[in-house]
Amino acid sequence: LSIQALGLRATAERHVQAAPPDAILGLTEAWKKDPNPLKVNLGVGIYKDDKGQTPVLPSVKTAEERLLATASTKTYMPIGGAPEYGKLVQALILGTDHPAIQENRIRTAQVPGGTGGLRVGADFLRKIRGGATVWVSRPTWANHKGIFEAAGFSVKEYAYYHAATRGLDEAGLLADLETIPAGDIVVLHVCCHNPSGVDLDAAQWEKVAAIAARKGWIPFLDFAYQGFGSGVEEDREGLLAMVRACPELLVSSSFSKNFGLYQERTGALSVIAANRAQADIAFSHIEIAIRVNYSNPPAHGGLIVTTILSDEVLTNQWLEELGAMRTRIAEVRRQFVLALKNQGIATDFSFINRQKGMFSFSGLSDEQVAFLREKKSIYIVKGGRISVAGITSQNIDYLCQSLAEVLNG
Ligand code: PMP
């Protein structure tokens, strides 16, 4: 196969540029190449411990040892993955005795990561609601737009973040959600909003759920950080409010962060329908979307999650390990705010303590972000999103001194 056969020569003649590198993953590549020993990476959304490492969780190691000892085949998974995994995921996202589970109107597919869940969900929705518009928050995780556009949707934004208060633009959000017509699709972050760290409280979720029910748009809930905000149960509050109000919705779960399974591509797509028959119909279309895409999911990550969640001792161990990650992030936020204050920076950064999850909108301008990268080897995504988990006791002083230089002029 020559390049010519691929038609690339023809495109080169038309001066088509190479595709741009991914902004966030590209930043890590640049950071890796930086020889400065003081360099700090606050770009990519990966949990890091105080040593700057992302070790395999001990509960995951134990599960893998068991799997290695007992595995007898590598034959294909079913199209929608292991049914047992689906049941365990449903209990994790909704709680064991949730009515949607008891009424048998939820179905779950094992998919390659949260990205896989979003893309399979997008392909499914495109088939049944082809002309709909997909709405995402302003701002949102950069890949949301790409995923839904790749599935053929046009994507629009609803108001979300309020720069002046560094909190939620509640009035703007509710007003925009009111304008979205029935049948359109609205992507909502269940917790630990990426990139702002600004979440809805219980009362705000109730308002959003009431609008969804009245207007009849389809909620697509992105649940990528369950347990990273306030706890596994607390973090599902918004999802439960939406399920109470809306007979039909989709949920994409990622286990990249909360199980630390990033490279194992472990996620789930759940569909909740009005009744059992409709859930079966929806799931049959989801299976078709999977079949023509990657046929059936990678098994290993799902087997790890199944091993942990089906064993009470391992589940409790995992919950403790997850709690330790959550506590460290909250503690880093506190120390960061304090250290910035101690540097004599006039700006009040206490809002960082109110934000949830791995990310924080720092309020740094693109010029300040560029200065920090070029002069200080501190890597922050354009737009000023900081991955708080990248801050350690080793780099916090250097980081805050450098920020003081930028902010105090
Ligand atoms: N949704 C959001 C909001 C995310 O932040 C991420 C991961 N950065 C994903 C989905 C995708 O997760 P995964 O790595 O499991 O595909």
Side-chain angles (χ1 to χ4, degrees), residues 228-259:
F228 260 71
S230 306
V232 164
E233 290 177 20
E234 295 86 338
D235 289 351
R236 62 164 86 103
E237 207 169 79
L239 170 59
L240 296 182
M242 296 302 290
V243 177
R244 278 194 297 274
C246 306
E248 293 176 342
L249 56 80
L250 291 170
V251 188
S252 170
S253 307
S254 165
F255 300 129
S256 301
K257 317 288 151 79
N258 50 12
F259 282 84

PDB file of all heavy atoms in Angstrom, residues 228-259:
ATOM      1  N   PHE A 228     -14.921  10.969  43.195  1.00  0.00           N
ATOM      2  CA  PHE A 228     -13.842  11.966  43.275  1.00  0.00           C
ATOM      3  C   PHE A 228     -14.321  13.293  43.872  1.00  0.00           C
ATOM      4  O   PHE A 228     -13.515  14.121  44.273  1.00  0.00           O
ATOM      5  CB  PHE A 228     -13.240  12.225  41.887  1.00  0.00           C
ATOM      6  CG  PHE A 228     -11.954  11.497  41.656  1.00  0.00           C
ATOM      7  CD1 PHE A 228     -11.959  10.117  41.485  1.00  0.00           C
ATOM      8  CD2 PHE A 228     -10.736  12.158  41.620  1.00  0.00           C
ATOM      9  CE1 PHE A 228     -10.768   9.424  41.291  1.00  0.00           C
ATOM     10  CE2 PHE A 228      -9.545  11.466  41.427  1.00  0.00           C
ATOM     11  CZ  PHE A 228      -9.561  10.107  41.257  1.00  0.00           C
ATOM     12  N   GLY A 229     -15.647  13.467  43.926  1.00  0.00           N
ATOM     13  CA  GLY A 229     -16.180  14.733  44.442  1.00  0.00           C
ATOM     14  C   GLY A 229     -16.351  14.672  45.944  1.00  0.00           C
ATOM     15  O   GLY A 229     -15.491  15.126  46.707  1.00  0.00           O
ATOM     16  N   SER A 230     -17.483  14.096  46.398  1.00  0.00           N
ATOM     17  CA  SER A 230     -17.756  14.013  47.838  1.00  0.00           C
ATOM     18  C   SER A 230     -17.850  12.576  48.316  1.00  0.00           C
ATOM     19  O   SER A 230     -17.832  12.319  49.510  1.00  0.00           O
ATOM     20  CB  SER A 230     -19.067  14.736  48.155  1.00  0.00           C
ATOM     21  OG  SER A 230     -19.021  16.048  47.654  1.00  0.00           O
ATOM     22  N   GLY A 231     -17.988  11.624  47.420  1.00  0.00           N
ATOM     23  CA  GLY A 231     -18.119  10.213  47.791  1.00  0.00           C
ATOM     24  C   GLY A 231     -18.969   9.509  46.749  1.00  0.00           C
ATOM     25  O   GLY A 231     -19.707  10.163  45.998  1.00  0.00           O
ATOM     26  N   VAL A 232     -18.853   8.184  46.691  1.00  0.00           N
ATOM     27  CA  VAL A 232     -19.557   7.411  45.660  1.00  0.00           C
ATOM     28  C   VAL A 232     -21.068   7.671  45.718  1.00  0.00           C
ATOM     29  O   VAL A 232     -21.719   7.840  44.673  1.00  0.00           O
ATOM     30  CB  VAL A 232     -19.233   5.906  45.841  1.00  0.00           C
ATOM     31  CG1 VAL A 232     -20.211   5.032  45.085  1.00  0.00           C
ATOM     32  CG2 VAL A 232     -17.811   5.623  45.381  1.00  0.00           C
ATOM     33  N   GLU A 233     -21.634   7.704  46.928  1.00  0.00           N
ATOM     34  CA  GLU A 233     -23.083   7.915  47.052  1.00  0.00           C
ATOM     35  C   GLU A 233     -23.469   9.379  46.855  1.00  0.00           C
ATOM     36  O   GLU A 233     -24.413   9.684  46.124  1.00  0.00           O
ATOM     37  CB  GLU A 233     -23.568   7.433  48.426  1.00  0.00           C
ATOM     38  CG  GLU A 233     -23.502   5.922  48.516  1.00  0.00           C
ATOM     39  CD  GLU A 233     -23.896   5.390  49.875  1.00  0.00           C
ATOM     40  OE1 GLU A 233     -24.572   6.108  50.625  1.00  0.00           O
ATOM     41  OE2 GLU A 233     -23.510   4.248  50.169  1.00  0.00           O
ATOM     42  N   GLU A 234     -22.733  10.273  47.489  1.00  0.00           N
ATOM     43  CA  GLU A 234     -23.038  11.707  47.375  1.00  0.00           C
ATOM     44  C   GLU A 234     -22.964  12.159  45.916  1.00  0.00           C
ATOM     45  O   GLU A 234     -23.771  12.966  45.467  1.00  0.00           O
ATOM     46  CB  GLU A 234     -22.046  12.540  48.205  1.00  0.00           C
ATOM     47  CG  GLU A 234     -22.119  12.318  49.706  1.00  0.00           C
ATOM     48  CD  GLU A 234     -21.281  11.135  50.189  1.00  0.00           C
ATOM     49  OE1 GLU A 234     -20.968  10.242  49.366  1.00  0.00           O
ATOM     50  OE2 GLU A 234     -20.960  11.094  51.393  1.00  0.00           O
ATOM     51  N   ASP A 235     -21.995  11.630  45.180  1.00  0.00           N
ATOM     52  CA  ASP A 235     -21.765  12.107  43.807  1.00  0.00           C
ATOM     53  C   ASP A 235     -22.866  11.692  42.839  1.00  0.00           C
ATOM     54  O   ASP A 235     -22.943  12.223  41.728  1.00  0.00           O
ATOM     55  CB  ASP A 235     -20.407  11.597  43.287  1.00  0.00           C
ATOM     56  CG  ASP A 235     -19.233  12.290  43.966  1.00  0.00           C
ATOM     57  OD1 ASP A 235     -19.469  13.266  44.701  1.00  0.00           O
ATOM     58  OD2 ASP A 235     -18.083  11.854  43.765  1.00  0.00           O
ATOM     59  N   ARG A 236     -23.715  10.727  43.234  1.00  0.00           N
ATOM     60  CA  ARG A 236     -24.774  10.313  42.301  1.00  0.00           C
ATOM     61  C   ARG A 236     -26.060  11.117  42.479  1.00  0.00           C
ATOM     62  O   ARG A 236     -27.050  10.878  41.785  1.00  0.00           O
ATOM     63  CB  ARG A 236     -25.045   8.818  42.410  1.00  0.00           C
ATOM     64  CG  ARG A 236     -25.552   8.314  43.747  1.00  0.00           C
ATOM     65  CD  ARG A 236     -26.157   6.919  43.625  1.00  0.00           C
ATOM     66  NE  ARG A 236     -25.224   5.828  43.731  1.00  0.00           N
ATOM     67  CZ  ARG A 236     -25.074   5.062  44.832  1.00  0.00           C
ATOM     68  NH1 ARG A 236     -25.769   5.308  45.924  1.00  0.00           N
ATOM     69  NH2 ARG A 236     -24.224   4.058  44.825  1.00  0.00           N
ATOM     70  N   GLU A 237     -26.034  12.079  43.406  1.00  0.00           N
ATOM     71  CA  GLU A 237     -27.239  12.858  43.722  1.00  0.00           C
ATOM     72  C   GLU A 237     -27.915  13.468  42.473  1.00  0.00           C
ATOM     73  O   GLU A 237     -29.120  13.343  42.281  1.00  0.00           O
ATOM     74  CB  GLU A 237     -26.825  13.987  44.655  1.00  0.00           C
ATOM     75  CG  GLU A 237     -27.904  14.480  45.567  1.00  0.00           C
ATOM     76  CD  GLU A 237     -27.313  15.406  46.629  1.00  0.00           C
ATOM     77  OE1 GLU A 237     -27.069  16.570  46.286  1.00  0.00           O
ATOM     78  OE2 GLU A 237     -27.086  14.947  47.762  1.00  0.00           O
ATOM     79  N   GLY A 238     -27.107  14.103  41.639  1.00  0.00           N
ATOM     80  CA  GLY A 238     -27.651  14.756  40.439  1.00  0.00           C
ATOM     81  C   GLY A 238     -28.254  13.746  39.483  1.00  0.00           C
ATOM     82  O   GLY A 238     -29.326  13.968  38.898  1.00  0.00           O
ATOM     83  N   LEU A 239     -27.574  12.614  39.321  1.00  0.00           N
ATOM     84  CA  LEU A 239     -28.088  11.555  38.450  1.00  0.00           C
ATOM     85  C   LEU A 239     -29.441  11.069  38.961  1.00  0.00           C
ATOM     86  O   LEU A 239     -30.399  10.923  38.187  1.00  0.00           O
ATOM     87  CB  LEU A 239     -27.068  10.406  38.397  1.00  0.00           C
ATOM     88  CG  LEU A 239     -27.508   9.111  37.724  1.00  0.00           C
ATOM     89  CD1 LEU A 239     -27.899   9.341  36.285  1.00  0.00           C
ATOM     90  CD2 LEU A 239     -26.405   8.059  37.804  1.00  0.00           C
ATOM     91  N   LEU A 240     -29.547  10.861  40.267  1.00  0.00           N
ATOM     92  CA  LEU A 240     -30.809  10.365  40.832  1.00  0.00           C
ATOM     93  C   LEU A 240     -31.937  11.374  40.627  1.00  0.00           C
ATOM     94  O   LEU A 240     -33.074  10.987  40.332  1.00  0.00           O
ATOM     95  CB  LEU A 240     -30.637  10.044  42.325  1.00  0.00           C
ATOM     96  CG  LEU A 240     -29.646   8.910  42.644  1.00  0.00           C
ATOM     97  CD1 LEU A 240     -29.601   8.637  44.142  1.00  0.00           C
ATOM     98  CD2 LEU A 240     -29.992   7.639  41.884  1.00  0.00           C
ATOM     99  N   ALA A 241     -31.616  12.653  40.754  1.00  0.00           N
ATOM    100  CA  ALA A 241     -32.640  13.688  40.524  1.00  0.00           C
ATOM    101  C   ALA A 241     -33.133  13.625  39.077  1.00  0.00           C
ATOM    102  O   ALA A 241     -34.341  13.718  38.810  1.00  0.00           O
ATOM    103  CB  ALA A 241     -32.068  15.074  40.834  1.00  0.00           C
ATOM    104  N   MET A 242     -32.209  13.435  38.141  1.00  0.00           N
ATOM    105  CA  MET A 242     -32.597  13.369  36.731  1.00  0.00           C
ATOM    106  C   MET A 242     -33.430  12.119  36.449  1.00  0.00           C
ATOM    107  O   MET A 242     -34.401  12.164  35.697  1.00  0.00           O
ATOM    108  CB  MET A 242     -31.346  13.371  35.819  1.00  0.00           C
ATOM    109  CG  MET A 242     -30.514  14.631  35.881  1.00  0.00           C
ATOM    110  SD  MET A 242     -31.382  16.159  35.466  1.00  0.00           S
ATOM    111  CE  MET A 242     -31.661  15.958  33.720  1.00  0.00           C
ATOM    112  N   VAL A 243     -33.058  10.995  37.077  1.00  0.00           N
ATOM    113  CA  VAL A 243     -33.802   9.746  36.843  1.00  0.00           C
ATOM    114  C   VAL A 243     -35.210   9.846  37.433  1.00  0.00           C
ATOM    115  O   VAL A 243     -36.163   9.317  36.854  1.00  0.00           O
ATOM    116  CB  VAL A 243     -33.033   8.527  37.425  1.00  0.00           C
ATOM    117  CG1 VAL A 243     -33.833   7.245  37.244  1.00  0.00           C
ATOM    118  CG2 VAL A 243     -31.671   8.381  36.766  1.00  0.00           C
ATOM    119  N   ARG A 244     -35.321  10.544  38.583  1.00  0.00           N
ATOM    120  CA  ARG A 244     -36.665  10.728  39.167  1.00  0.00           C
ATOM    121  C   ARG A 244     -37.569  11.516  38.224  1.00  0.00           C
ATOM    122  O   ARG A 244     -38.759  11.244  38.114  1.00  0.00           O
ATOM    123  CB  ARG A 244     -36.560  11.497  40.506  1.00  0.00           C
ATOM    124  CG  ARG A 244     -36.192  10.619  41.701  1.00  0.00           C
ATOM    125  CD  ARG A 244     -36.456  11.362  43.020  1.00  0.00           C
ATOM    126  NE  ARG A 244     -35.645  12.561  43.183  1.00  0.00           N
ATOM    127  CZ  ARG A 244     -34.403  12.565  43.693  1.00  0.00           C
ATOM    128  NH1 ARG A 244     -33.845  11.445  44.083  1.00  0.00           N
ATOM    129  NH2 ARG A 244     -33.743  13.706  43.814  1.00  0.00           N
ATOM    130  N   ALA A 245     -36.981  12.480  37.530  1.00  0.00           N
ATOM    131  CA  ALA A 245     -37.798  13.388  36.712  1.00  0.00           C
ATOM    132  C   ALA A 245     -38.020  12.893  35.287  1.00  0.00           C
ATOM    133  O   ALA A 245     -39.054  13.185  34.692  1.00  0.00           O
ATOM    134  CB  ALA A 245     -37.131  14.781  36.679  1.00  0.00           C
ATOM    135  N   CYS A 246     -37.041  12.172  34.746  1.00  0.00           N
ATOM    136  CA  CYS A 246     -37.093  11.854  33.305  1.00  0.00           C
ATOM    137  C   CYS A 246     -37.228  10.345  33.094  1.00  0.00           C
ATOM    138  O   CYS A 246     -36.434   9.574  33.622  1.00  0.00           O
ATOM    139  CB  CYS A 246     -35.819  12.327  32.610  1.00  0.00           C
ATOM    140  SG  CYS A 246     -35.457  14.061  32.896  1.00  0.00           S
ATOM    141  N   PRO A 247     -38.179   9.928  32.278  1.00  0.00           N
ATOM    142  CA  PRO A 247     -38.348   8.490  32.048  1.00  0.00           C
ATOM    143  C   PRO A 247     -37.228   7.880  31.210  1.00  0.00           C
ATOM    144  O   PRO A 247     -36.976   6.683  31.294  1.00  0.00           O
ATOM    145  CB  PRO A 247     -39.683   8.402  31.308  1.00  0.00           C
ATOM    146  CG  PRO A 247     -39.911   9.758  30.725  1.00  0.00           C
ATOM    147  CD  PRO A 247     -39.209  10.737  31.612  1.00  0.00           C
ATOM    148  N   GLU A 248     -36.557   8.720  30.403  1.00  0.00           N
ATOM    149  CA  GLU A 248     -35.528   8.179  29.506  1.00  0.00           C
ATOM    150  C   GLU A 248     -34.262   9.008  29.605  1.00  0.00           C
ATOM    151  O   GLU A 248     -34.318  10.245  29.499  1.00  0.00           O
ATOM    152  CB  GLU A 248     -35.999   8.263  28.042  1.00  0.00           C
ATOM    153  CG  GLU A 248     -37.164   7.366  27.722  1.00  0.00           C
ATOM    154  CD  GLU A 248     -37.644   7.562  26.293  1.00  0.00           C
ATOM    155  OE1 GLU A 248     -37.313   8.597  25.661  1.00  0.00           O
ATOM    156  OE2 GLU A 248     -38.369   6.684  25.805  1.00  0.00           O
ATOM    157  N   LEU A 249     -33.161   8.345  29.780  1.00  0.00           N
ATOM    158  CA  LEU A 249     -31.874   9.058  29.720  1.00  0.00           C
ATOM    159  C   LEU A 249     -30.726   8.081  29.533  1.00  0.00           C
ATOM    160  O   LEU A 249     -30.883   6.864  29.672  1.00  0.00           O
ATOM    161  CB  LEU A 249     -31.656   9.943  30.947  1.00  0.00           C
ATOM    162  CG  LEU A 249     -31.713   9.340  32.351  1.00  0.00           C
ATOM    163  CD1 LEU A 249     -30.407   8.654  32.704  1.00  0.00           C
ATOM    164  CD2 LEU A 249     -31.982  10.454  33.361  1.00  0.00           C
ATOM    165  N   LEU A 250     -29.564   8.647  29.202  1.00  0.00           N
ATOM    166  CA  LEU A 250     -28.355   7.845  29.021  1.00  0.00           C
ATOM    167  C   LEU A 250     -27.309   8.265  30.045  1.00  0.00           C
ATOM    168  O   LEU A 250     -27.254   9.440  30.433  1.00  0.00           O
ATOM    169  CB  LEU A 250     -27.778   8.067  27.617  1.00  0.00           C
ATOM    170  CG  LEU A 250     -28.566   7.518  26.437  1.00  0.00           C
ATOM    171  CD1 LEU A 250     -27.973   8.044  25.135  1.00  0.00           C
ATOM    172  CD2 LEU A 250     -28.550   6.001  26.422  1.00  0.00           C
ATOM    173  N   VAL A 251     -26.489   7.307  30.483  1.00  0.00           N
ATOM    174  CA  VAL A 251     -25.385   7.602  31.394  1.00  0.00           C
ATOM    175  C   VAL A 251     -24.117   6.952  30.853  1.00  0.00           C
ATOM    176  O   VAL A 251     -24.115   5.752  30.556  1.00  0.00           O
ATOM    177  CB  VAL A 251     -25.625   7.032  32.810  1.00  0.00           C
ATOM    178  CG1 VAL A 251     -24.552   7.532  33.774  1.00  0.00           C
ATOM    179  CG2 VAL A 251     -27.014   7.343  33.327  1.00  0.00           C
ATOM    180  N   SER A 252     -23.058   7.737  30.739  1.00  0.00           N
ATOM    181  CA  SER A 252     -21.759   7.177  30.390  1.00  0.00           C
ATOM    182  C   SER A 252     -20.876   7.198  31.632  1.00  0.00           C
ATOM    183  O   SER A 252     -20.652   8.248  32.218  1.00  0.00           O
ATOM    184  CB  SER A 252     -21.117   8.005  29.272  1.00  0.00           C
ATOM    185  OG  SER A 252     -19.780   7.602  29.097  1.00  0.00           O
ATOM    186  N   SER A 253     -20.403   6.019  32.059  1.00  0.00           N
ATOM    187  CA  SER A 253     -19.507   5.941  33.218  1.00  0.00           C
ATOM    188  C   SER A 253     -18.084   5.678  32.745  1.00  0.00           C
ATOM    189  O   SER A 253     -17.874   4.930  31.789  1.00  0.00           O
ATOM    190  CB  SER A 253     -19.893   4.782  34.136  1.00  0.00           C
ATOM    191  OG  SER A 253     -21.243   4.837  34.500  1.00  0.00           O
ATOM    192  N   SER A 254     -17.141   6.290  33.441  1.00  0.00           N
ATOM    193  CA  SER A 254     -15.732   5.988  33.198  1.00  0.00           C
ATOM    194  C   SER A 254     -15.125   5.444  34.487  1.00  0.00           C
ATOM    195  O   SER A 254     -15.399   5.971  35.562  1.00  0.00           O
ATOM    196  CB  SER A 254     -14.985   7.263  32.786  1.00  0.00           C
ATOM    197  OG  SER A 254     -13.588   7.061  32.892  1.00  0.00           O
ATOM    198  N   PHE A 255     -14.318   4.403  34.378  1.00  0.00           N
ATOM    199  CA  PHE A 255     -13.603   3.898  35.555  1.00  0.00           C
ATOM    200  C   PHE A 255     -12.108   4.172  35.443  1.00  0.00           C
ATOM    201  O   PHE A 255     -11.295   3.543  36.112  1.00  0.00           O
ATOM    202  CB  PHE A 255     -13.907   2.408  35.765  1.00  0.00           C
ATOM    203  CG  PHE A 255     -15.387   2.174  35.970  1.00  0.00           C
ATOM    204  CD1 PHE A 255     -16.076   1.223  35.237  1.00  0.00           C
ATOM    205  CD2 PHE A 255     -16.103   2.957  36.862  1.00  0.00           C
ATOM    206  CE1 PHE A 255     -17.442   1.038  35.414  1.00  0.00           C
ATOM    207  CE2 PHE A 255     -17.467   2.787  37.041  1.00  0.00           C
ATOM    208  CZ  PHE A 255     -18.143   1.827  36.316  1.00  0.00           C
ATOM    209  N   SER A 256     -11.785   5.124  34.550  1.00  0.00           N
ATOM    210  CA  SER A 256     -10.375   5.493  34.380  1.00  0.00           C
ATOM    211  C   SER A 256      -9.825   6.127  35.644  1.00  0.00           C
ATOM    212  O   SER A 256      -8.724   5.786  36.089  1.00  0.00           O
ATOM    213  CB  SER A 256     -10.246   6.474  33.217  1.00  0.00           C
ATOM    214  OG  SER A 256     -10.736   5.887  32.038  1.00  0.00           O
ATOM    215  N   LYS A 257     -10.588   7.046  36.243  1.00  0.00           N
ATOM    216  CA  LYS A 257     -10.082   7.794  37.398  1.00  0.00           C
ATOM    217  C   LYS A 257     -10.352   7.044  38.704  1.00  0.00           C
ATOM    218  O   LYS A 257      -9.454   6.846  39.506  1.00  0.00           O
ATOM    219  CB  LYS A 257     -10.733   9.182  37.479  1.00  0.00           C
ATOM    220  CG  LYS A 257     -10.852   9.913  36.161  1.00  0.00           C
ATOM    221  CD  LYS A 257      -9.520  10.399  35.646  1.00  0.00           C
ATOM    222  CE  LYS A 257      -9.483  10.472  34.130  1.00  0.00           C
ATOM    223  NZ  LYS A 257     -10.090  11.579  33.483  1.00  0.00           N
ATOM    224  N   ASN A 258     -11.614   6.656  38.939  1.00  0.00           N
ATOM    225  CA  ASN A 258     -11.938   6.122  40.268  1.00  0.00           C
ATOM    226  C   ASN A 258     -11.368   4.716  40.527  1.00  0.00           C
ATOM    227  O   ASN A 258     -11.161   4.346  41.676  1.00  0.00           O
ATOM    228  CB  ASN A 258     -13.449   6.189  40.558  1.00  0.00           C
ATOM    229  CG  ASN A 258     -14.295   5.626  39.455  1.00  0.00           C
ATOM    230  OD1 ASN A 258     -13.795   4.971  38.547  1.00  0.00           O
ATOM    231  ND2 ASN A 258     -15.605   5.878  39.511  1.00  0.00           N
ATOM    232  N   PHE A 259     -11.101   3.949  39.467  1.00  0.00           N
ATOM    233  CA  PHE A 259     -10.393   2.678  39.652  1.00  0.00           C
ATOM    234  C   PHE A 259      -8.940   2.780  39.166  1.00  0.00           C
ATOM    235  O   PHE A 259      -8.211   1.794  39.193  1.00  0.00           O
ATOM    236  CB  PHE A 259     -11.093   1.536  38.896  1.00  0.00           C
ATOM    237  CG  PHE A 259     -12.338   0.995  39.570  1.00  0.00           C
ATOM    238  CD1 PHE A 259     -13.569   1.616  39.391  1.00  0.00           C
ATOM    239  CD2 PHE A 259     -12.276  -0.133  40.381  1.00  0.00           C
ATOM    240  CE1 PHE A 259     -14.716   1.130  40.005  1.00  0.00           C
ATOM    241  CE2 PHE A 259     -13.415  -0.633  40.997  1.00  0.00           C
ATOM    242  CZ  PHE A 259     -14.642   0.005  40.811  1.00  0.00           C
TER     243      PHE A 259
END
